[in-house]
Amino acid sequence: MNLLHSGLTYIDPRKLHSWAPDNTVQIIEIAACHSAHTSAAKTQGGHVYMWGQCRGQSVVLPHLTHFSCTDDVFACFATPAVSWRLLSVEPDDHLTVAESLKREFDNPNTADLKFLVDGKYIYAHKVLLKIRCEHFRSSLEDSEDDIVEMSEFSYPVYRAFLEYLYTDSINLPPEEAVGLLDLATFYRENRLKKLCQQTIKQGICEENAIALLSAAVKYDAQDLEEFCFRFCINHLTVVTQTSGFAEMDHDLLKNFISKASRVGAFKN
C-alpha cells in the first residue's frame, strides 16, 4: 500500500544556502505541508524542528521537538495528519538485504567478532568485514581471534567506520569526521574518504575552518583543501580572528598567506 498526500513538498537541503535556529545547525532534511501550513526540518545531529500552524497556534520561529524524524511532526501537529513522503507498508517480516545488514550491526547475539575500543565493545561479523573492506580481507584471513583491541582511533570514529561497512553511510559531526577521514586514509577506503569530506564541507564554519583546512592538507584531500581555503578567503576577517588561526602551524600559515595573496585577498 502506498500513501502520499499531494499537498506536501520536499525541499532538497543542498539548495538551502543557510537556515538554522542559531545560524550554525546543519539541515539535512526539510519539508512543508501547504494545506496545514506546517513545516519541519531535521539537523545533522538528529534534532527535529517545526514551525507554522500547531494545533491552532502559530509558531513563528523553528521550535525544537522531541521527535527523531520529520514524519512525526506532520502526523502529530498537522490537521489532518499527513505524510510528506511516499510510504510503503510491508509485512513486518519483510526486510531488504540492506535493511537486514543494518539491523545486524553491533548485534552481540549474531556477531563472531568484537572490537575493544576505549574500553567498550563493538560487535561485528567477520564475513561481512572481509567482503566490504580490503584491510579486513587480509587481516582476518587466517585469524581465529574473536576480540580485536584497537587503540589507534577513538571509539566514536571506529564505531562509525564499522557502521559504514554495514550501512554505506556515516553520521558524525565534522570534528569527528576529521578523525574518520584519517582512518579512511589509513585503510585506503576512497569512498569513505569522499563521504567524510562531504560531511566536513556541510559542517564548516568560521571557528573550525582552519582546523578543517589543516586536516585536509594532512590527509591529502585536495578537493576538501580547496573548499576550506575558499571558505576562509570568503570569511577572511572573522577567520583571522579565531583561536584556530592564531594557533595555525607555521608552514601552513605561510602557504595560506602566499596562496591568499595570489588570489587577491589582500588587495584592500
Side-chain angles (χ1 to χ4, degrees):
M1 181 187 303
N2 291 328
L3 306 175
L4 181 65
H5 191 284
S6 60
L8 292 163
T9 300
Y10 173 67
I11 305 173
D12 188 341
R14 292 171 297 182
K15 297 180 180 178
L16 299 177
H17 297 294
S18 62
W19 180 94
D22 59 2
N23 294 323
T24 61
V25 177
Q26 296 298 310
I27 302 300
I28 62 173
E29 182 178 277
I30 183 167
C33 173
H34 303 305
S35 60
H37 304 290
T38 302
S39 301
K42 184 175 182 179
T43 71
Q44 190 178 56
H47 300 296
V48 174
Y49 293 83
M50 69 81 58
W51 64 98
Q53 292 299 312
C54 174
R55 298 176 180 173
Q57 299 183 40
S58 180
V59 180
V60 179
L61 297 176
H63 176 75
L64 178 63
T65 73
H66 65 280
F67 299 129
S68 59
C69 67
T70 55
D71 303 272
D72 293 338
V73 170
F74 299 105
C76 182
F77 295 141
T79 305
V82 292
S83 172
W84 68 262
R85 74 177 95 209
L86 185 67
L87 299 182
S88 178
V89 181
E90 300 285 355
D92 292 338
D93 59 351
H94 177 80
L95 290 175
T96 65
V97 173
E99 290 169 340
S100 298
L101 292 179
K102 290 180 182 180
R103 177 173 289 190
E104 292 307 309
F105 170 66
D106 203 17
N107 184 352
N109 297 322
T110 61
D112 57 359
L113 184 65
K114 295 186 291 186
F115 290 89
L116 181 59
V117 189
D118 295 341
K120 293 180 281 188
Y121 285 117
I122 309 171
Y123 296 88
H125 305 77
K126 290 182 180 180
V127 64
L128 185 140
L129 299 185
K130 289 193 286 186
I131 290 173
R132 291 279 287 149
C133 178
E134 181 64 35
H135 167 77
F136 289 125
R137 195 170 302 142
S138 58
S139 65
L140 297 177
E141 183 62 32
D142 300 317
S143 174
E144 296 182 359
D145 296 336
D146 58 1
I147 299 179
V148 176
E149 293 190 32
M150 178 57 58
S151 58
E152 291 85 352
F153 303 98
S154 68
Y155 175 83
V157 166
Y158 211 77
R159 178 181 171 82
F161 169 54
L162 294 176
E163 187 172 11
Y164 157 76
L165 297 179
Y166 283 76
T167 66
D168 206 34
S169 62
I170 62 173
N171 183 23
L172 281 177
E175 291 75 15
E176 294 286 1
V178 170
L180 190 56
L181 178 61
D182 182 16
L183 184 150
T185 304
F186 181 77
Y187 285 158
R188 298 180 180 179
E189 288 287 331
N190 292 328
R191 171 169 166 73
L192 178 57
K193 194 172 179 178
K194 291 180 180 178
L195 290 177
C196 291
Q197 292 182 59
Q198 292 174 6
T199 299
I200 293 171
K201 287 180 181 180
Q202 292 172 355
I204 194 171
C205 64
E206 289 89 348
E207 286 296 325
N208 65 18
I210 294 298
L212 299 183
L213 173 63
S214 177
V217 173
K218 180 179 179 181
Y219 302 126
D220 193 28
Q222 296 179 2
D223 178 65
L224 178 61
E225 178 185 348
E226 183 63 23
F227 178 88
C228 293
F229 173 76
R230 289 294 174 184
F231 181 92
C232 291
I233 295 301
N234 292 335
H235 303 81
L236 191 59
T237 300
V238 178
V239 167
T240 54
Q241 296 174 5
T242 63
S243 58
F245 187 84
E247 299 166 2
M248 200 172 181
D249 175 78
H250 176 74
D251 290 336
L252 181 61
L253 175 60
K254 182 178 178 180
N255 291 334
F256 177 82
I257 293 176
S258 176
K259 188 175 180 180
S261 178
R262 291 197 300 270
V263 298
F266 306 122
K267 284 183 177 181
N268 297 325

